[in-house]
Amino acid sequence: MLEWLVALCILVVLVLFVWPGTRSAFGGECQRPGMSQRQEKDGTGKARAAVALICKPSALAKYLQKHCRTFSDYSPWAGWTWRASAVLQSAREACWPCESAVQFVRDNLQLSDDGLVSLDWAVPSYHRRRRTSSHSTSPVLLIVPNSFGRITRNVLKLCEMALAHGYLPAVFNRRSHNGTPLTTLKLQQFGDPSDLREAVRYIRYRQPAGRLYAVSESSGSGLLLSYLGECGSSSYMTAAVCLSPVFRCQSWFENDLCRPLQWVLALYQKISLSRYRTALGDIMHTDALFSSCSLRGVEEALFCQSGHTGSNSAAPAGTGNGSSISTSVGWDSYWERNEPLRDVDEVAIPVLSVCSRDDPVRGDAQSTIPLELFETNPHFFLLLTDRGGHCGFSAQSERKAASVAAPNSSAESDDTNWSHKVVLEFFRATTDFFNAEERAKQLAARRRGLGGGLGGRAFRHRSVSTCKRVPACSHNIHAIYSWQRSYTQ
């Protein structure tokens, strides 16, 4: 952990003083080709960054524009303050310690191949009950953190707000992430949704009466988008939100991420995997893994190269049973199976992406955000802000925006995350829209049954068929053990 903090300090210094993009870090506006800068005035008369909703015109889009006030109610910090810096916002949300009143109850789930993933259920610190009843109708919020396994301040704050609004937040941890034991010689590939699919089935088995929503953070959006594309209408989810997602992941691993940040993230991955170095030596070249200084090098060593130990060679990480022949997977072939947007046309639920033009992690908005996807696919919506950083979106509270701040006022109390409000309001609006559509269909069906067909005469005898609920199948998923724990930052 000490190496991680030192590397982070070095990263901040390098990015602020070396990276050319930092000329607009502190409140500056950078005009990009093809992007019109639009500003509006807040209550103090100061300029406020615009929020653009990019989507294909539809009934749901009109409903969201009418009922989601937070979509346009974004008041970012401006001027010479660290909260106006995209880099510092992003660094704070990623690794700054957070005093959280949330505790977690962990379920370790055994998968069909004997591997383990875990679900951390967020509960208030004063909550005496360790577990929520399976008869609860509260909605479940499944949170997919970044692909590196770190539980960030952004995730903790989202859990707090979700609990306050009646949700049951659950954080999904991949194999070997966040203290989850690695019990098999298999790691989860970047866009392989098989483990997440089994975790979702377990959630439906445990909470069959509550709606299921999903939120992903940063590079974790690749896993969520892959799951939604592969499962289609069988995803069991009502709606999903991606916070600062990475869309074109192969390009992001190759070119879009700056070199200092690549080095820091690669170092964090190697530290996390160092405890399994001996075991992983049977399936990969660990020397190449731990000597790599780039994200691409680490990813290739984990999933595109394989090692062997005599005649009992194991298959590459991410594959099935062992084999006596050592094989390798090409880099381009790997991304053909793991690119998040490979099955995007099969997504069947509303998906909102919240992005910022000054995101220092994702890269330039013009080349990294597929605007054509949002303009042509009715299931995808994009909120694009001028400022906000990477999962930052630090906003002034209404009290702060309405008056000039006093010198002795608490800065922490005036700092809110606008994207979290957007998440919950988007879920509420889409649910209300679907409920209204369902009521309209039922009313139209009753009118057709009572007044149509035989000269307007009503049917005297009508049989109504009901669907019998089939209990969800856990498919070899079961909780091994659970305990209550608090994250220490």
Side-chain angles (χ1 to χ4, degrees), residues 53 55-68 71 238-239 348-351 378-381 426-434 437:
L53 176 61
C55 60
K56 183 178 181 179
S58 63
L60 177 57
K62 294 179 180 178
Y63 190 89
L64 293 176
Q65 289 177 325
K66 181 178 179 181
H67 293 86
C68 294
F71 282 15
T238 302
I349 65 171
V351 180
H379 293 107
F380 283 84
F381 304 85
F426 175 73
F427 290 155
R428 178 193 57 78
T430 52
T431 303
D432 292 344
F433 176 81
F434 290 144
E437 290 288 307

PDB file of all heavy atoms in Angstrom, residues 53 55-68 71 238-239 348-351 378-381 426-434 437:
ATOM      1  N   LEU A  53     -27.366  15.981 -23.096  1.00  0.00           N
ATOM      2  CA  LEU A  53     -27.967  14.657 -23.166  1.00  0.00           C
ATOM      3  C   LEU A  53     -27.991  14.230 -24.625  1.00  0.00           C
ATOM      4  O   LEU A  53     -28.690  14.827 -25.452  1.00  0.00           O
ATOM      5  CB  LEU A  53     -29.381  14.664 -22.584  1.00  0.00           C
ATOM      6  CG  LEU A  53     -30.158  13.342 -22.682  1.00  0.00           C
ATOM      7  CD1 LEU A  53     -29.441  12.225 -21.933  1.00  0.00           C
ATOM      8  CD2 LEU A  53     -31.582  13.506 -22.163  1.00  0.00           C
ATOM      9  N   CYS A  55     -28.802  11.245 -27.222  1.00  0.00           N
ATOM     10  CA  CYS A  55     -29.554   9.986 -27.348  1.00  0.00           C
ATOM     11  C   CYS A  55     -30.406  10.047 -28.605  1.00  0.00           C
ATOM     12  O   CYS A  55     -30.575  11.102 -29.225  1.00  0.00           O
ATOM     13  CB  CYS A  55     -30.433   9.751 -26.115  1.00  0.00           C
ATOM     14  SG  CYS A  55     -31.662  11.047 -25.840  1.00  0.00           S
ATOM     15  N   LYS A  56     -30.958   8.916 -28.967  1.00  0.00           N
ATOM     16  CA  LYS A  56     -31.897   8.838 -30.072  1.00  0.00           C
ATOM     17  C   LYS A  56     -33.278   9.255 -29.582  1.00  0.00           C
ATOM     18  O   LYS A  56     -33.705   8.822 -28.514  1.00  0.00           O
ATOM     19  CB  LYS A  56     -31.942   7.410 -30.626  1.00  0.00           C
ATOM     20  CG  LYS A  56     -32.852   7.249 -31.835  1.00  0.00           C
ATOM     21  CD  LYS A  56     -32.807   5.816 -32.363  1.00  0.00           C
ATOM     22  CE  LYS A  56     -33.708   5.681 -33.589  1.00  0.00           C
ATOM     23  NZ  LYS A  56     -33.677   4.299 -34.141  1.00  0.00           N
ATOM     24  N   PRO A  57     -33.983  10.107 -30.314  1.00  0.00           N
ATOM     25  CA  PRO A  57     -35.320  10.537 -29.867  1.00  0.00           C
ATOM     26  C   PRO A  57     -36.255   9.346 -29.655  1.00  0.00           C
ATOM     27  O   PRO A  57     -36.360   8.448 -30.489  1.00  0.00           O
ATOM     28  CB  PRO A  57     -35.811  11.431 -31.017  1.00  0.00           C
ATOM     29  CG  PRO A  57     -34.560  11.900 -31.685  1.00  0.00           C
ATOM     30  CD  PRO A  57     -33.575  10.769 -31.568  1.00  0.00           C
ATOM     31  N   SER A  58     -36.902   9.327 -28.492  1.00  0.00           N
ATOM     32  CA  SER A  58     -37.827   8.255 -28.154  1.00  0.00           C
ATOM     33  C   SER A  58     -38.739   8.734 -27.044  1.00  0.00           C
ATOM     34  O   SER A  58     -38.535   9.810 -26.464  1.00  0.00           O
ATOM     35  CB  SER A  58     -37.077   6.990 -27.712  1.00  0.00           C
ATOM     36  OG  SER A  58     -36.338   7.241 -26.525  1.00  0.00           O
ATOM     37  N   ALA A  59     -39.762   7.943 -26.741  1.00  0.00           N
ATOM     38  CA  ALA A  59     -40.685   8.303 -25.662  1.00  0.00           C
ATOM     39  C   ALA A  59     -39.963   8.327 -24.313  1.00  0.00           C
ATOM     40  O   ALA A  59     -40.211   9.208 -23.486  1.00  0.00           O
ATOM     41  CB  ALA A  59     -41.851   7.323 -25.628  1.00  0.00           C
ATOM     42  N   LEU A  60     -39.053   7.377 -24.095  1.00  0.00           N
ATOM     43  CA  LEU A  60     -38.302   7.357 -22.842  1.00  0.00           C
ATOM     44  C   LEU A  60     -37.376   8.559 -22.740  1.00  0.00           C
ATOM     45  O   LEU A  60     -37.223   9.153 -21.663  1.00  0.00           O
ATOM     46  CB  LEU A  60     -37.505   6.062 -22.726  1.00  0.00           C
ATOM     47  CG  LEU A  60     -36.605   5.920 -21.494  1.00  0.00           C
ATOM     48  CD1 LEU A  60     -37.421   6.058 -20.211  1.00  0.00           C
ATOM     49  CD2 LEU A  60     -35.868   4.581 -21.511  1.00  0.00           C
ATOM     50  N   ALA A  61     -36.756   8.942 -23.851  1.00  0.00           N
ATOM     51  CA  ALA A  61     -35.869  10.105 -23.834  1.00  0.00           C
ATOM     52  C   ALA A  61     -36.644  11.367 -23.463  1.00  0.00           C
ATOM     53  O   ALA A  61     -36.166  12.195 -22.669  1.00  0.00           O
ATOM     54  CB  ALA A  61     -35.193  10.262 -25.190  1.00  0.00           C
ATOM     55  N   LYS A  62     -37.826  11.555 -24.011  1.00  0.00           N
ATOM     56  CA  LYS A  62     -38.638  12.715 -23.660  1.00  0.00           C
ATOM     57  C   LYS A  62     -39.036  12.680 -22.192  1.00  0.00           C
ATOM     58  O   LYS A  62     -39.062  13.719 -21.519  1.00  0.00           O
ATOM     59  CB  LYS A  62     -39.879  12.760 -24.544  1.00  0.00           C
ATOM     60  CG  LYS A  62     -39.588  13.007 -26.024  1.00  0.00           C
ATOM     61  CD  LYS A  62     -40.876  13.022 -26.840  1.00  0.00           C
ATOM     62  CE  LYS A  62     -40.589  13.267 -28.323  1.00  0.00           C
ATOM     63  NZ  LYS A  62     -41.830  13.245 -29.127  1.00  0.00           N
ATOM     64  N   TYR A  63     -39.344  11.505 -21.702  1.00  0.00           N
ATOM     65  CA  TYR A  63     -39.734  11.379 -20.301  1.00  0.00           C
ATOM     66  C   TYR A  63     -38.568  11.728 -19.381  1.00  0.00           C
ATOM     67  O   TYR A  63     -38.743  12.411 -18.361  1.00  0.00           O
ATOM     68  CB  TYR A  63     -40.212   9.952 -20.040  1.00  0.00           C
ATOM     69  CG  TYR A  63     -40.860   9.745 -18.689  1.00  0.00           C
ATOM     70  CD1 TYR A  63     -42.224   9.936 -18.514  1.00  0.00           C
ATOM     71  CD2 TYR A  63     -40.106   9.360 -17.579  1.00  0.00           C
ATOM     72  CE1 TYR A  63     -42.829   9.756 -17.275  1.00  0.00           C
ATOM     73  CE2 TYR A  63     -40.687   9.186 -16.342  1.00  0.00           C
ATOM     74  CZ  TYR A  63     -42.051   9.376 -16.201  1.00  0.00           C
ATOM     75  OH  TYR A  63     -42.636   9.202 -14.969  1.00  0.00           O
ATOM     76  N   LEU A  64     -37.366  11.275 -19.743  1.00  0.00           N
ATOM     77  CA  LEU A  64     -36.201  11.582 -18.922  1.00  0.00           C
ATOM     78  C   LEU A  64     -35.893  13.078 -18.930  1.00  0.00           C
ATOM     79  O   LEU A  64     -35.564  13.667 -17.894  1.00  0.00           O
ATOM     80  CB  LEU A  64     -34.990  10.803 -19.428  1.00  0.00           C
ATOM     81  CG  LEU A  64     -35.043   9.281 -19.280  1.00  0.00           C
ATOM     82  CD1 LEU A  64     -33.815   8.638 -19.916  1.00  0.00           C
ATOM     83  CD2 LEU A  64     -35.156   8.866 -17.822  1.00  0.00           C
ATOM     84  N   GLN A  65     -35.988  13.711 -20.092  1.00  0.00           N
ATOM     85  CA  GLN A  65     -35.734  15.138 -20.167  1.00  0.00           C
ATOM     86  C   GLN A  65     -36.731  15.936 -19.325  1.00  0.00           C
ATOM     87  O   GLN A  65     -36.385  16.974 -18.768  1.00  0.00           O
ATOM     88  CB  GLN A  65     -35.793  15.599 -21.617  1.00  0.00           C
ATOM     89  CG  GLN A  65     -34.613  15.130 -22.457  1.00  0.00           C
ATOM     90  CD  GLN A  65     -34.751  15.546 -23.905  1.00  0.00           C
ATOM     91  OE1 GLN A  65     -35.849  15.589 -24.462  1.00  0.00           O
ATOM     92  NE2 GLN A  65     -33.625  15.856 -24.547  1.00  0.00           N
ATOM     93  N   LYS A  66     -37.947  15.438 -19.208  1.00  0.00           N
ATOM     94  CA  LYS A  66     -38.980  16.153 -18.477  1.00  0.00           C
ATOM     95  C   LYS A  66     -38.903  15.927 -16.977  1.00  0.00           C
ATOM     96  O   LYS A  66     -39.162  16.843 -16.187  1.00  0.00           O
ATOM     97  CB  LYS A  66     -40.365  15.734 -18.996  1.00  0.00           C
ATOM     98  CG  LYS A  66     -41.528  16.440 -18.321  1.00  0.00           C
ATOM     99  CD  LYS A  66     -42.854  15.997 -18.915  1.00  0.00           C
ATOM    100  CE  LYS A  66     -44.025  16.692 -18.233  1.00  0.00           C
ATOM    101  NZ  LYS A  66     -45.336  16.244 -18.794  1.00  0.00           N
ATOM    102  N   HIS A  67     -38.541  14.712 -16.544  1.00  0.00           N
ATOM    103  CA  HIS A  67     -38.648  14.352 -15.135  1.00  0.00           C
ATOM    104  C   HIS A  67     -37.303  14.237 -14.411  1.00  0.00           C
ATOM    105  O   HIS A  67     -37.302  14.079 -13.185  1.00  0.00           O
ATOM    106  CB  HIS A  67     -39.398  13.020 -14.998  1.00  0.00           C
ATOM    107  CG  HIS A  67     -40.834  13.094 -15.406  1.00  0.00           C
ATOM    108  ND1 HIS A  67     -41.251  12.939 -16.708  1.00  0.00           N
ATOM    109  CD2 HIS A  67     -41.962  13.325 -14.678  1.00  0.00           C
ATOM    110  CE1 HIS A  67     -42.569  13.044 -16.769  1.00  0.00           C
ATOM    111  NE2 HIS A  67     -43.021  13.274 -15.560  1.00  0.00           N
ATOM    112  N   CYS A  68     -36.190  14.305 -15.099  1.00  0.00           N
ATOM    113  CA  CYS A  68     -34.878  14.210 -14.451  1.00  0.00           C
ATOM    114  C   CYS A  68     -34.251  15.598 -14.399  1.00  0.00           C
ATOM    115  O   CYS A  68     -33.523  16.011 -15.314  1.00  0.00           O
ATOM    116  CB  CYS A  68     -33.982  13.228 -15.197  1.00  0.00           C
ATOM    117  SG  CYS A  68     -34.543  11.514 -15.127  1.00  0.00           S
ATOM    118  N   PHE A  71     -30.291  16.166 -14.497  1.00  0.00           N
ATOM    119  CA  PHE A  71     -29.538  16.086 -15.741  1.00  0.00           C
ATOM    120  C   PHE A  71     -28.960  17.447 -16.137  1.00  0.00           C
ATOM    121  O   PHE A  71     -27.890  17.521 -16.736  1.00  0.00           O
ATOM    122  CB  PHE A  71     -30.425  15.554 -16.870  1.00  0.00           C
ATOM    123  CG  PHE A  71     -30.621  14.062 -16.835  1.00  0.00           C
ATOM    124  CD1 PHE A  71     -30.296  13.327 -15.705  1.00  0.00           C
ATOM    125  CD2 PHE A  71     -31.146  13.390 -17.927  1.00  0.00           C
ATOM    126  CE1 PHE A  71     -30.473  11.958 -15.663  1.00  0.00           C
ATOM    127  CE2 PHE A  71     -31.331  12.014 -17.900  1.00  0.00           C
ATOM    128  CZ  PHE A  71     -30.991  11.305 -16.762  1.00  0.00           C
ATOM    129  N   THR A 238     -33.381  -3.955 -14.551  1.00  0.00           N
ATOM    130  CA  THR A 238     -34.342  -2.964 -15.022  1.00  0.00           C
ATOM    131  C   THR A 238     -33.649  -1.824 -15.746  1.00  0.00           C
ATOM    132  O   THR A 238     -34.134  -1.345 -16.775  1.00  0.00           O
ATOM    133  CB  THR A 238     -35.153  -2.407 -13.840  1.00  0.00           C
ATOM    134  OG1 THR A 238     -35.814  -3.492 -13.168  1.00  0.00           O
ATOM    135  CG2 THR A 238     -36.187  -1.403 -14.305  1.00  0.00           C
ATOM    136  N   ALA A 239     -32.519  -1.359 -15.241  1.00  0.00           N
ATOM    137  CA  ALA A 239     -31.755  -0.280 -15.861  1.00  0.00           C
ATOM    138  C   ALA A 239     -30.329  -0.338 -15.333  1.00  0.00           C
ATOM    139  O   ALA A 239     -30.049  -0.994 -14.323  1.00  0.00           O
ATOM    140  CB  ALA A 239     -32.386   1.080 -15.572  1.00  0.00           C
ATOM    141  N   ALA A 348     -30.956  -4.797 -23.978  1.00  0.00           N
ATOM    142  CA  ALA A 348     -32.411  -4.649 -24.003  1.00  0.00           C
ATOM    143  C   ALA A 348     -32.950  -3.793 -22.871  1.00  0.00           C
ATOM    144  O   ALA A 348     -34.160  -3.746 -22.673  1.00  0.00           O
ATOM    145  CB  ALA A 348     -33.072  -6.036 -23.956  1.00  0.00           C
ATOM    146  N   ILE A 349     -32.101  -3.117 -22.126  1.00  0.00           N
ATOM    147  CA  ILE A 349     -32.551  -2.252 -21.038  1.00  0.00           C
ATOM    148  C   ILE A 349     -31.937  -0.870 -21.216  1.00  0.00           C
ATOM    149  O   ILE A 349     -30.933  -0.713 -21.912  1.00  0.00           O
ATOM    150  CB  ILE A 349     -32.170  -2.818 -19.654  1.00  0.00           C
ATOM    151  CG1 ILE A 349     -30.641  -2.839 -19.483  1.00  0.00           C
ATOM    152  CG2 ILE A 349     -32.768  -4.196 -19.440  1.00  0.00           C
ATOM    153  CD1 ILE A 349     -30.189  -3.171 -18.082  1.00  0.00           C
ATOM    154  N   PRO A 350     -32.503   0.169 -20.592  1.00  0.00           N
ATOM    155  CA  PRO A 350     -31.903   1.510 -20.681  1.00  0.00           C
ATOM    156  C   PRO A 350     -30.558   1.559 -19.965  1.00  0.00           C
ATOM    157  O   PRO A 350     -30.432   1.103 -18.828  1.00  0.00           O
ATOM    158  CB  PRO A 350     -32.939   2.409 -19.993  1.00  0.00           C
ATOM    159  CG  PRO A 350     -34.201   1.628 -19.981  1.00  0.00           C
ATOM    160  CD  PRO A 350     -33.815   0.193 -19.903  1.00  0.00           C
ATOM    161  N   VAL A 351     -29.569   2.119 -20.632  1.00  0.00           N
ATOM    162  CA  VAL A 351     -28.216   2.252 -20.082  1.00  0.00           C
ATOM    163  C   VAL A 351     -27.794   3.713 -20.202  1.00  0.00           C
ATOM    164  O   VAL A 351     -27.757   4.262 -21.309  1.00  0.00           O
ATOM    165  CB  VAL A 351     -27.211   1.346 -20.814  1.00  0.00           C
ATOM    166  CG1 VAL A 351     -25.821   1.517 -20.218  1.00  0.00           C
ATOM    167  CG2 VAL A 351     -27.647  -0.110 -20.736  1.00  0.00           C
ATOM    168  N   PRO A 378     -31.647   3.196 -29.288  1.00  0.00           N
ATOM    169  CA  PRO A 378     -32.611   3.810 -28.347  1.00  0.00           C
ATOM    170  C   PRO A 378     -32.411   3.393 -26.901  1.00  0.00           C
ATOM    171  O   PRO A 378     -33.025   3.992 -26.014  1.00  0.00           O
ATOM    172  CB  PRO A 378     -33.964   3.333 -28.875  1.00  0.00           C
ATOM    173  CG  PRO A 378     -33.669   2.051 -29.596  1.00  0.00           C
ATOM    174  CD  PRO A 378     -32.296   2.234 -30.193  1.00  0.00           C
ATOM    175  N   HIS A 379     -31.580   2.393 -26.631  1.00  0.00           N
ATOM    176  CA  HIS A 379     -31.360   1.946 -25.251  1.00  0.00           C
ATOM    177  C   HIS A 379     -30.207   2.668 -24.554  1.00  0.00           C
ATOM    178  O   HIS A 379     -30.038   2.490 -23.351  1.00  0.00           O
ATOM    179  CB  HIS A 379     -31.093   0.431 -25.231  1.00  0.00           C
ATOM    180  CG  HIS A 379     -32.267  -0.397 -25.621  1.00  0.00           C
ATOM    181  ND1 HIS A 379     -32.349  -1.046 -26.824  1.00  0.00           N
ATOM    182  CD2 HIS A 379     -33.433  -0.664 -24.980  1.00  0.00           C
ATOM    183  CE1 HIS A 379     -33.499  -1.697 -26.915  1.00  0.00           C
ATOM    184  NE2 HIS A 379     -34.175  -1.486 -25.803  1.00  0.00           N
ATOM    185  N   PHE A 380     -29.436   3.451 -25.281  1.00  0.00           N
ATOM    186  CA  PHE A 380     -28.254   4.085 -24.709  1.00  0.00           C
ATOM    187  C   PHE A 380     -28.436   5.590 -24.629  1.00  0.00           C
ATOM    188  O   PHE A 380     -28.880   6.225 -25.588  1.00  0.00           O
ATOM    189  CB  PHE A 380     -27.008   3.745 -25.537  1.00  0.00           C
ATOM    190  CG  PHE A 380     -26.492   2.358 -25.294  1.00  0.00           C
ATOM    191  CD1 PHE A 380     -27.019   1.271 -25.972  1.00  0.00           C
ATOM    192  CD2 PHE A 380     -25.486   2.127 -24.367  1.00  0.00           C
ATOM    193  CE1 PHE A 380     -26.553  -0.017 -25.742  1.00  0.00           C
ATOM    194  CE2 PHE A 380     -25.007   0.851 -24.133  1.00  0.00           C
ATOM    195  CZ  PHE A 380     -25.546  -0.220 -24.814  1.00  0.00           C
ATOM    196  N   PHE A 381     -28.067   6.143 -23.465  1.00  0.00           N
ATOM    197  CA  PHE A 381     -28.172   7.572 -23.213  1.00  0.00           C
ATOM    198  C   PHE A 381     -26.823   8.052 -22.673  1.00  0.00           C
ATOM    199  O   PHE A 381     -26.187   7.374 -21.868  1.00  0.00           O
ATOM    200  CB  PHE A 381     -29.273   7.872 -22.197  1.00  0.00           C
ATOM    201  CG  PHE A 381     -30.622   7.335 -22.591  1.00  0.00           C
ATOM    202  CD1 PHE A 381     -30.983   6.016 -22.299  1.00  0.00           C
ATOM    203  CD2 PHE A 381     -31.529   8.128 -23.268  1.00  0.00           C
ATOM    204  CE1 PHE A 381     -32.215   5.514 -22.663  1.00  0.00           C
ATOM    205  CE2 PHE A 381     -32.771   7.629 -23.638  1.00  0.00           C
ATOM    206  CZ  PHE A 381     -33.116   6.319 -23.336  1.00  0.00           C
ATOM    207  N   PHE A 426     -32.256   8.621 -12.395  1.00  0.00           N
ATOM    208  CA  PHE A 426     -32.453   7.859 -13.632  1.00  0.00           C
ATOM    209  C   PHE A 426     -33.181   6.556 -13.357  1.00  0.00           C
ATOM    210  O   PHE A 426     -34.100   6.169 -14.106  1.00  0.00           O
ATOM    211  CB  PHE A 426     -31.093   7.595 -14.275  1.00  0.00           C
ATOM    212  CG  PHE A 426     -31.145   6.709 -15.490  1.00  0.00           C
ATOM    213  CD1 PHE A 426     -31.645   7.176 -16.691  1.00  0.00           C
ATOM    214  CD2 PHE A 426     -30.694   5.393 -15.428  1.00  0.00           C
ATOM    215  CE1 PHE A 426     -31.692   6.362 -17.818  1.00  0.00           C
ATOM    216  CE2 PHE A 426     -30.734   4.573 -16.540  1.00  0.00           C
ATOM    217  CZ  PHE A 426     -31.233   5.058 -17.728  1.00  0.00           C
ATOM    218  N   PHE A 427     -32.816   5.852 -12.293  1.00  0.00           N
ATOM    219  CA  PHE A 427     -33.503   4.612 -11.950  1.00  0.00           C
ATOM    220  C   PHE A 427     -34.966   4.875 -11.605  1.00  0.00           C
ATOM    221  O   PHE A 427     -35.862   4.125 -12.020  1.00  0.00           O
ATOM    222  CB  PHE A 427     -32.800   3.929 -10.779  1.00  0.00           C
ATOM    223  CG  PHE A 427     -31.460   3.353 -11.128  1.00  0.00           C
ATOM    224  CD1 PHE A 427     -30.487   3.171 -10.154  1.00  0.00           C
ATOM    225  CD2 PHE A 427     -31.161   2.984 -12.427  1.00  0.00           C
ATOM    226  CE1 PHE A 427     -29.247   2.640 -10.469  1.00  0.00           C
ATOM    227  CE2 PHE A 427     -29.928   2.451 -12.757  1.00  0.00           C
ATOM    228  CZ  PHE A 427     -28.968   2.284 -11.772  1.00  0.00           C
ATOM    229  N   ARG A 428     -35.230   5.918 -10.847  1.00  0.00           N
ATOM    230  CA  ARG A 428     -36.615   6.242 -10.487  1.00  0.00           C
ATOM    231  C   ARG A 428     -37.439   6.592 -11.722  1.00  0.00           C
ATOM    232  O   ARG A 428     -38.566   6.107 -11.882  1.00  0.00           O
ATOM    233  CB  ARG A 428     -36.631   7.416  -9.506  1.00  0.00           C
ATOM    234  CG  ARG A 428     -38.036   7.868  -9.116  1.00  0.00           C
ATOM    235  CD  ARG A 428     -38.021   9.196  -8.412  1.00  0.00           C
ATOM    236  NE  ARG A 428     -37.390  10.233  -9.210  1.00  0.00           N
ATOM    237  CZ  ARG A 428     -37.987  10.858 -10.215  1.00  0.00           C
ATOM    238  NH1 ARG A 428     -39.222  10.534 -10.559  1.00  0.00           N
ATOM    239  NH2 ARG A 428     -37.351  11.784 -10.895  1.00  0.00           N
ATOM    240  N   ALA A 429     -36.869   7.404 -12.619  1.00  0.00           N
ATOM    241  CA  ALA A 429     -37.617   7.833 -13.796  1.00  0.00           C
ATOM    242  C   ALA A 429     -37.896   6.669 -14.743  1.00  0.00           C
ATOM    243  O   ALA A 429     -39.015   6.547 -15.273  1.00  0.00           O
ATOM    244  CB  ALA A 429     -36.849   8.939 -14.521  1.00  0.00           C
ATOM    245  N   THR A 430     -36.903   5.807 -14.979  1.00  0.00           N
ATOM    246  CA  THR A 430     -37.138   4.674 -15.882  1.00  0.00           C
ATOM    247  C   THR A 430     -38.156   3.707 -15.296  1.00  0.00           C
ATOM    248  O   THR A 430     -39.005   3.164 -16.026  1.00  0.00           O
ATOM    249  CB  THR A 430     -35.820   3.930 -16.150  1.00  0.00           C
ATOM    250  OG1 THR A 430     -35.188   3.590 -14.908  1.00  0.00           O
ATOM    251  CG2 THR A 430     -34.883   4.778 -16.975  1.00  0.00           C
ATOM    252  N   THR A 431     -38.116   3.499 -13.981  1.00  0.00           N
ATOM    253  CA  THR A 431     -39.097   2.617 -13.352  1.00  0.00           C
ATOM    254  C   THR A 431     -40.501   3.201 -13.470  1.00  0.00           C
ATOM    255  O   THR A 431     -41.464   2.480 -13.794  1.00  0.00           O
ATOM    256  CB  THR A 431     -38.737   2.393 -11.880  1.00  0.00           C
ATOM    257  OG1 THR A 431     -37.417   1.855 -11.791  1.00  0.00           O
ATOM    258  CG2 THR A 431     -39.711   1.425 -11.233  1.00  0.00           C
ATOM    259  N   ASP A 432     -40.643   4.496 -13.217  1.00  0.00           N
ATOM    260  CA  ASP A 432     -41.957   5.139 -13.355  1.00  0.00           C
ATOM    261  C   ASP A 432     -42.447   5.062 -14.798  1.00  0.00           C
ATOM    262  O   ASP A 432     -43.649   4.859 -15.044  1.00  0.00           O
ATOM    263  CB  ASP A 432     -41.876   6.596 -12.911  1.00  0.00           C
ATOM    264  CG  ASP A 432     -41.636   6.732 -11.419  1.00  0.00           C
ATOM    265  OD1 ASP A 432     -41.825   5.729 -10.696  1.00  0.00           O
ATOM    266  OD2 ASP A 432     -41.248   7.828 -10.974  1.00  0.00           O
ATOM    267  N   PHE A 433     -41.543   5.224 -15.754  1.00  0.00           N
ATOM    268  CA  PHE A 433     -41.937   5.159 -17.162  1.00  0.00           C
ATOM    269  C   PHE A 433     -42.444   3.766 -17.529  1.00  0.00           C
ATOM    270  O   PHE A 433     -43.488   3.617 -18.184  1.00  0.00           O
ATOM    271  CB  PHE A 433     -40.745   5.544 -18.047  1.00  0.00           C
ATOM    272  CG  PHE A 433     -41.008   5.409 -19.518  1.00  0.00           C
ATOM    273  CD1 PHE A 433     -41.692   6.392 -20.202  1.00  0.00           C
ATOM    274  CD2 PHE A 433     -40.560   4.293 -20.211  1.00  0.00           C
ATOM    275  CE1 PHE A 433     -41.932   6.274 -21.573  1.00  0.00           C
ATOM    276  CE2 PHE A 433     -40.796   4.164 -21.574  1.00  0.00           C
ATOM    277  CZ  PHE A 433     -41.484   5.154 -22.254  1.00  0.00           C
ATOM    278  N   PHE A 434     -41.715   2.739 -17.104  1.00  0.00           N
ATOM    279  CA  PHE A 434     -42.136   1.369 -17.406  1.00  0.00           C
ATOM    280  C   PHE A 434     -43.461   1.037 -16.713  1.00  0.00           C
ATOM    281  O   PHE A 434     -44.311   0.347 -17.292  1.00  0.00           O
ATOM    282  CB  PHE A 434     -41.052   0.381 -16.990  1.00  0.00           C
ATOM    283  CG  PHE A 434     -39.826   0.446 -17.844  1.00  0.00           C
ATOM    284  CD1 PHE A 434     -38.565   0.256 -17.295  1.00  0.00           C
ATOM    285  CD2 PHE A 434     -39.914   0.693 -19.201  1.00  0.00           C
ATOM    286  CE1 PHE A 434     -37.423   0.311 -18.077  1.00  0.00           C
ATOM    287  CE2 PHE A 434     -38.783   0.755 -19.993  1.00  0.00           C
ATOM    288  CZ  PHE A 434     -37.536   0.566 -19.430  1.00  0.00           C
ATOM    289  N   GLU A 437     -46.197   2.660 -18.718  1.00  0.00           N
ATOM    290  CA  GLU A 437     -46.425   1.923 -19.958  1.00  0.00           C
ATOM    291  C   GLU A 437     -47.182   0.626 -19.708  1.00  0.00           C
ATOM    292  O   GLU A 437     -48.078   0.252 -20.477  1.00  0.00           O
ATOM    293  CB  GLU A 437     -45.079   1.626 -20.621  1.00  0.00           C
ATOM    294  CG  GLU A 437     -44.378   2.835 -21.199  1.00  0.00           C
ATOM    295  CD  GLU A 437     -45.053   3.350 -22.440  1.00  0.00           C
ATOM    296  OE1 GLU A 437     -45.270   2.558 -23.374  1.00  0.00           O
ATOM    297  OE2 GLU A 437     -45.381   4.558 -22.476  1.00  0.00           O
TER     298      GLU A 437
END
